[in-house]
Amino acid sequence: MNPPILSEEKIRLGVICATKWDAINAAGDLLVAAGHVSAGYPALMAARERVGTTYLGNGIAVPHGTREAKALVRTAGISFIQLLDGVDFGGGNIARLVLGLAAADDTHLDLLTHIAMVCTDDAHLTALLHATSPAEVMAILAPGTP
Amino acid sequence: MVGFASMTSRRCVIRNPSGLHARPAGKFAQAATAHAGAIRVCKGEKVANGKSILALLTLGAKCQDTVTLEIEGDDEALLMRLEKILTHSNEHDEGATPKATDSA
């Protein structure tokens, strides 16, 4: 059976990362551990980030693999990392929430749209920033996932 | 719209095979931010602030979708530049990174 797109074991709260690369790796490792992608995927998330930042605004970054990385994607998935202090994703843009994405096809845009819909709602965004249990994150982010 | 002499709008068709995803949305917002007046992108009943990547992503605009680009104030050059970002079909040569390998 395919793992669900979002699940509690892919959610980490109050994480401390020294750099955005640590955060991207952590987000990628959660996708690997859950079986969404194969082991080479996190390195290609870093490669994508070097091409241009995946910081979206509002303290949110959505690292994901390069076009070539699609071959490493088995099923669509989202990992969620809430950073204790945030990390600089470049240009002074501090990400507090890092959502790792895996999708092999048009689902990628659906995942982005879903995350953008949730995170442009101030109440939802505040709740995600201050969540203290994976269940709280699930309650906000899981409904309506593609 | 008080204070602006005009509002220009243009319909365009998204040509990026991956739709209006993070990378073109980022380019669009970056180009739009310097403009003093409001910039909006509309798809159906959805209206997005063109200066916000997150807002643009809420549109979920896929390849071949038609969107309406609206700019307050008169800046034909910017309008053309923004339209080009929306209608560009090849993300590899639109922008500063010739080796773009974005997944979508």
Side-chain angles (χ1 to χ4, degrees), chain B residues 43-78:
Chain B
K43 191 192 109 180
E45 292 179 352
K46 290 184 178 176
V47 181
N49 174 2
K51 300 179 185 186
S52 160
I53 304 173
L54 270 175
L56 289 167
L57 291 176
T58 65
L59 295 174
K62 296 185 188 294
C63 189
Q64 305 301 337
D65 279 352
T66 300
V67 298
T68 305
L69 169 58
E70 297 179 351
I71 298 187
E72 274 181 1
D74 193 17
D75 190 338
E76 183 65 23
L78 177 65

Short mmCIF file of all heavy atoms in Angstrom, two decimals, chain B residues 43-78:
data_model
loop_
_atom_site.label_atom_id
_atom_site.label_comp_id
_atom_site.label_asym_id
_atom_site.label_seq_id
_atom_site.Cartn_x
_atom_site.Cartn_y
_atom_site.Cartn_z
N LYS B 43 -7.56 33.91 -12.11
CA LYS B 43 -7.93 32.70 -12.85
C LYS B 43 -9.32 32.31 -12.39
O LYS B 43 -9.52 31.97 -11.22
CB LYS B 43 -6.95 31.57 -12.56
CG LYS B 43 -7.12 30.37 -13.49
CD LYS B 43 -6.37 29.15 -13.04
CE LYS B 43 -7.36 28.12 -12.55
NZ LYS B 43 -6.70 26.88 -12.09
N GLY B 44 -10.28 32.38 -13.29
CA GLY B 44 -11.66 32.15 -12.89
C GLY B 44 -12.04 33.18 -11.83
O GLY B 44 -11.84 34.37 -12.02
N GLU B 45 -12.54 32.71 -10.70
CA GLU B 45 -12.93 33.65 -9.64
C GLU B 45 -11.80 33.92 -8.66
O GLU B 45 -11.94 34.71 -7.74
CB GLU B 45 -14.15 33.09 -8.89
CG GLU B 45 -15.40 33.07 -9.77
CD GLU B 45 -16.61 32.50 -9.04
OE1 GLU B 45 -16.43 31.99 -7.91
OE2 GLU B 45 -17.70 32.55 -9.61
N LYS B 46 -10.68 33.25 -8.85
CA LYS B 46 -9.55 33.45 -7.93
C LYS B 46 -8.75 34.67 -8.34
O LYS B 46 -8.44 34.86 -9.52
CB LYS B 46 -8.63 32.23 -7.94
CG LYS B 46 -9.22 30.99 -7.28
CD LYS B 46 -8.15 29.89 -7.28
CE LYS B 46 -8.65 28.65 -6.60
NZ LYS B 46 -7.64 27.57 -6.70
N VAL B 47 -8.40 35.50 -7.36
CA VAL B 47 -7.59 36.69 -7.60
C VAL B 47 -6.36 36.62 -6.71
O VAL B 47 -6.48 36.43 -5.50
CB VAL B 47 -8.38 37.98 -7.27
CG1 VAL B 47 -7.51 39.21 -7.55
CG2 VAL B 47 -9.68 38.04 -8.07
N ALA B 48 -5.17 36.74 -7.31
CA ALA B 48 -3.94 36.65 -6.53
C ALA B 48 -3.13 37.93 -6.62
O ALA B 48 -3.02 38.52 -7.70
CB ALA B 48 -3.10 35.47 -7.02
N ASN B 49 -2.59 38.36 -5.50
CA ASN B 49 -1.63 39.45 -5.47
C ASN B 49 -0.38 39.01 -6.23
O ASN B 49 0.29 38.06 -5.84
CB ASN B 49 -1.31 39.76 -4.00
CG ASN B 49 -0.20 40.79 -3.85
OD1 ASN B 49 0.33 41.31 -4.84
ND2 ASN B 49 0.14 41.09 -2.62
N GLY B 50 -0.07 39.71 -7.30
CA GLY B 50 1.05 39.32 -8.15
C GLY B 50 2.41 39.51 -7.52
O GLY B 50 3.42 39.08 -8.07
N LYS B 51 2.44 40.17 -6.35
CA LYS B 51 3.72 40.40 -5.68
C LYS B 51 4.03 39.32 -4.65
O LYS B 51 5.05 39.38 -3.99
CB LYS B 51 3.72 41.79 -5.02
CG LYS B 51 3.50 42.91 -6.04
CD LYS B 51 3.48 44.28 -5.40
CE LYS B 51 3.15 45.33 -6.46
NZ LYS B 51 3.23 46.70 -5.95
N SER B 52 3.12 38.36 -4.51
CA SER B 52 3.30 37.29 -3.52
C SER B 52 3.38 35.93 -4.21
O SER B 52 2.45 35.52 -4.91
CB SER B 52 2.12 37.31 -2.54
OG SER B 52 1.99 36.05 -1.89
N ILE B 53 4.48 35.24 -4.00
CA ILE B 53 4.64 33.90 -4.60
C ILE B 53 3.54 32.97 -4.09
O ILE B 53 2.90 32.26 -4.87
CB ILE B 53 6.02 33.29 -4.26
CG1 ILE B 53 7.15 34.23 -4.69
CG2 ILE B 53 6.19 31.94 -4.94
CD1 ILE B 53 8.53 33.75 -4.22
N LEU B 54 3.32 33.00 -2.77
CA LEU B 54 2.30 32.12 -2.20
C LEU B 54 0.93 32.38 -2.81
O LEU B 54 0.21 31.45 -3.15
CB LEU B 54 2.21 32.34 -0.68
CG LEU B 54 3.10 31.49 0.21
CD1 LEU B 54 2.96 31.94 1.65
CD2 LEU B 54 2.76 30.01 0.07
N ALA B 55 0.60 33.66 -2.96
CA ALA B 55 -0.71 34.00 -3.53
C ALA B 55 -0.82 33.49 -4.97
O ALA B 55 -1.84 32.91 -5.36
CB ALA B 55 -0.93 35.51 -3.48
N LEU B 56 0.26 33.65 -5.74
CA LEU B 56 0.24 33.17 -7.13
C LEU B 56 0.05 31.66 -7.19
O LEU B 56 -0.65 31.14 -8.06
CB LEU B 56 1.53 33.58 -7.85
CG LEU B 56 1.68 35.07 -8.17
CD1 LEU B 56 3.11 35.39 -8.58
CD2 LEU B 56 0.70 35.48 -9.26
N LEU B 57 0.67 30.96 -6.24
CA LEU B 57 0.55 29.50 -6.24
C LEU B 57 -0.85 29.02 -5.89
O LEU B 57 -1.25 27.92 -6.28
CB LEU B 57 1.58 28.88 -5.28
CG LEU B 57 3.04 29.01 -5.70
CD1 LEU B 57 3.96 28.46 -4.63
CD2 LEU B 57 3.29 28.32 -7.03
N THR B 58 -1.61 29.85 -5.16
CA THR B 58 -2.97 29.42 -4.82
C THR B 58 -3.84 29.31 -6.08
O THR B 58 -4.88 28.65 -6.05
CB THR B 58 -3.67 30.39 -3.84
OG1 THR B 58 -3.85 31.65 -4.48
CG2 THR B 58 -2.89 30.55 -2.56
N LEU B 59 -3.43 29.95 -7.17
CA LEU B 59 -4.23 29.89 -8.41
C LEU B 59 -4.24 28.47 -8.99
O LEU B 59 -5.19 28.08 -9.67
CB LEU B 59 -3.67 30.86 -9.46
CG LEU B 59 -3.73 32.35 -9.13
CD1 LEU B 59 -3.01 33.15 -10.20
CD2 LEU B 59 -5.18 32.81 -9.00
N GLY B 60 -3.17 27.72 -8.77
CA GLY B 60 -3.07 26.39 -9.35
C GLY B 60 -3.20 26.43 -10.86
O GLY B 60 -3.87 25.60 -11.47
N ALA B 61 -2.52 27.39 -11.48
CA ALA B 61 -2.64 27.58 -12.93
C ALA B 61 -1.78 26.57 -13.67
O ALA B 61 -0.55 26.57 -13.55
CB ALA B 61 -2.25 29.00 -13.30
N LYS B 62 -2.41 25.70 -14.42
CA LYS B 62 -1.70 24.65 -15.16
C LYS B 62 -1.44 25.10 -16.60
O LYS B 62 -2.01 26.08 -17.07
CB LYS B 62 -2.51 23.36 -15.14
CG LYS B 62 -2.71 22.77 -13.75
CD LYS B 62 -3.42 21.44 -13.82
CE LYS B 62 -3.82 20.91 -12.45
NZ LYS B 62 -2.71 20.54 -11.56
N CYS B 63 -0.60 24.33 -17.26
CA CYS B 63 -0.30 24.59 -18.67
C CYS B 63 -1.61 24.63 -19.47
O CYS B 63 -2.46 23.76 -19.29
CB CYS B 63 0.63 23.50 -19.20
SG CYS B 63 1.28 23.84 -20.84
N GLN B 64 -1.74 25.63 -20.32
CA GLN B 64 -2.92 25.87 -21.18
C GLN B 64 -4.06 26.58 -20.45
O GLN B 64 -5.06 26.93 -21.07
CB GLN B 64 -3.46 24.58 -21.84
CG GLN B 64 -2.44 23.79 -22.64
CD GLN B 64 -1.81 24.59 -23.78
OE1 GLN B 64 -2.40 25.56 -24.26
NE2 GLN B 64 -0.62 24.20 -24.20
N ASP B 65 -3.95 26.80 -19.15
CA ASP B 65 -4.97 27.59 -18.45
C ASP B 65 -4.85 29.06 -18.88
O ASP B 65 -3.75 29.55 -19.12
CB ASP B 65 -4.77 27.51 -16.93
CG ASP B 65 -5.35 26.24 -16.33
OD1 ASP B 65 -6.02 25.50 -17.07
OD2 ASP B 65 -5.12 25.99 -15.13
N THR B 66 -5.99 29.73 -18.96
CA THR B 66 -6.00 31.15 -19.27
C THR B 66 -6.10 31.96 -17.98
O THR B 66 -6.92 31.65 -17.12
CB THR B 66 -7.19 31.50 -20.19
OG1 THR B 66 -7.06 30.77 -21.40
CG2 THR B 66 -7.20 33.00 -20.51
N VAL B 67 -5.25 32.94 -17.84
CA VAL B 67 -5.30 33.83 -16.67
C VAL B 67 -5.39 35.27 -17.18
O VAL B 67 -5.10 35.55 -18.34
CB VAL B 67 -4.06 33.68 -15.76
CG1 VAL B 67 -3.97 32.27 -15.20
CG2 VAL B 67 -2.79 34.05 -16.50
N THR B 68 -5.83 36.17 -16.30
CA THR B 68 -5.87 37.58 -16.64
C THR B 68 -4.86 38.33 -15.78
O THR B 68 -4.86 38.17 -14.55
CB THR B 68 -7.27 38.18 -16.42
OG1 THR B 68 -8.22 37.39 -17.15
CG2 THR B 68 -7.33 39.61 -16.89
N LEU B 69 -4.02 39.09 -16.43
CA LEU B 69 -2.99 39.86 -15.76
C LEU B 69 -3.47 41.30 -15.68
O LEU B 69 -3.89 41.88 -16.68
CB LEU B 69 -1.70 39.74 -16.58
CG LEU B 69 -0.50 40.63 -16.28
CD1 LEU B 69 -0.05 40.45 -14.84
CD2 LEU B 69 0.62 40.30 -17.24
N GLU B 70 -3.46 41.88 -14.48
CA GLU B 70 -3.92 43.27 -14.29
C GLU B 70 -2.83 44.10 -13.63
O GLU B 70 -2.25 43.67 -12.64
CB GLU B 70 -5.17 43.31 -13.40
CG GLU B 70 -6.37 42.58 -13.98
CD GLU B 70 -7.57 42.63 -13.04
OE1 GLU B 70 -7.43 43.07 -11.89
OE2 GLU B 70 -8.65 42.22 -13.48
N ILE B 71 -2.61 45.26 -14.19
CA ILE B 71 -1.61 46.17 -13.62
C ILE B 71 -2.22 47.54 -13.43
O ILE B 71 -2.82 48.10 -14.36
CB ILE B 71 -0.39 46.31 -14.56
CG1 ILE B 71 0.30 44.98 -14.75
CG2 ILE B 71 0.60 47.32 -13.99
CD1 ILE B 71 1.59 45.10 -15.53
N GLU B 72 -2.09 48.07 -12.22
CA GLU B 72 -2.49 49.46 -11.97
C GLU B 72 -1.35 50.37 -12.38
O GLU B 72 -0.21 50.12 -12.02
CB GLU B 72 -2.79 49.67 -10.49
CG GLU B 72 -4.21 49.31 -10.12
CD GLU B 72 -4.47 49.55 -8.64
OE1 GLU B 72 -3.55 50.00 -7.94
OE2 GLU B 72 -5.58 49.28 -8.21
N GLY B 73 -1.70 51.42 -13.08
CA GLY B 73 -0.65 52.32 -13.54
C GLY B 73 -0.22 51.94 -14.94
O GLY B 73 -0.57 50.88 -15.45
N ASP B 74 0.54 52.81 -15.53
CA ASP B 74 0.87 52.66 -16.94
C ASP B 74 2.33 52.23 -17.08
O ASP B 74 3.23 53.04 -16.87
CB ASP B 74 0.62 54.01 -17.65
CG ASP B 74 0.63 53.84 -19.14
OD1 ASP B 74 0.50 52.69 -19.61
OD2 ASP B 74 0.76 54.86 -19.84
N ASP B 75 2.55 50.98 -17.37
CA ASP B 75 3.93 50.50 -17.56
C ASP B 75 3.91 49.34 -18.55
O ASP B 75 3.87 48.18 -18.18
CB ASP B 75 4.52 50.08 -16.22
CG ASP B 75 6.03 49.80 -16.32
OD1 ASP B 75 6.51 49.53 -17.44
OD2 ASP B 75 6.70 49.84 -15.27
N GLU B 76 3.90 49.73 -19.82
CA GLU B 76 3.79 48.73 -20.88
C GLU B 76 4.97 47.76 -20.87
O GLU B 76 4.80 46.56 -21.11
CB GLU B 76 3.69 49.44 -22.24
CG GLU B 76 3.50 48.52 -23.43
CD GLU B 76 2.16 47.77 -23.40
OE1 GLU B 76 1.22 48.26 -22.73
OE2 GLU B 76 2.07 46.71 -24.03
N ALA B 77 6.15 48.26 -20.55
CA ALA B 77 7.34 47.39 -20.55
C ALA B 77 7.21 46.31 -19.49
O ALA B 77 7.51 45.13 -19.74
CB ALA B 77 8.59 48.23 -20.30
N LEU B 78 6.73 46.72 -18.31
CA LEU B 78 6.57 45.73 -17.23
C LEU B 78 5.48 44.72 -17.60
O LEU B 78 5.63 43.52 -17.37
CB LEU B 78 6.23 46.44 -15.91
CG LEU B 78 5.98 45.50 -14.73
CD1 LEU B 78 7.25 44.73 -14.38
CD2 LEU B 78 5.48 46.28 -13.51
#
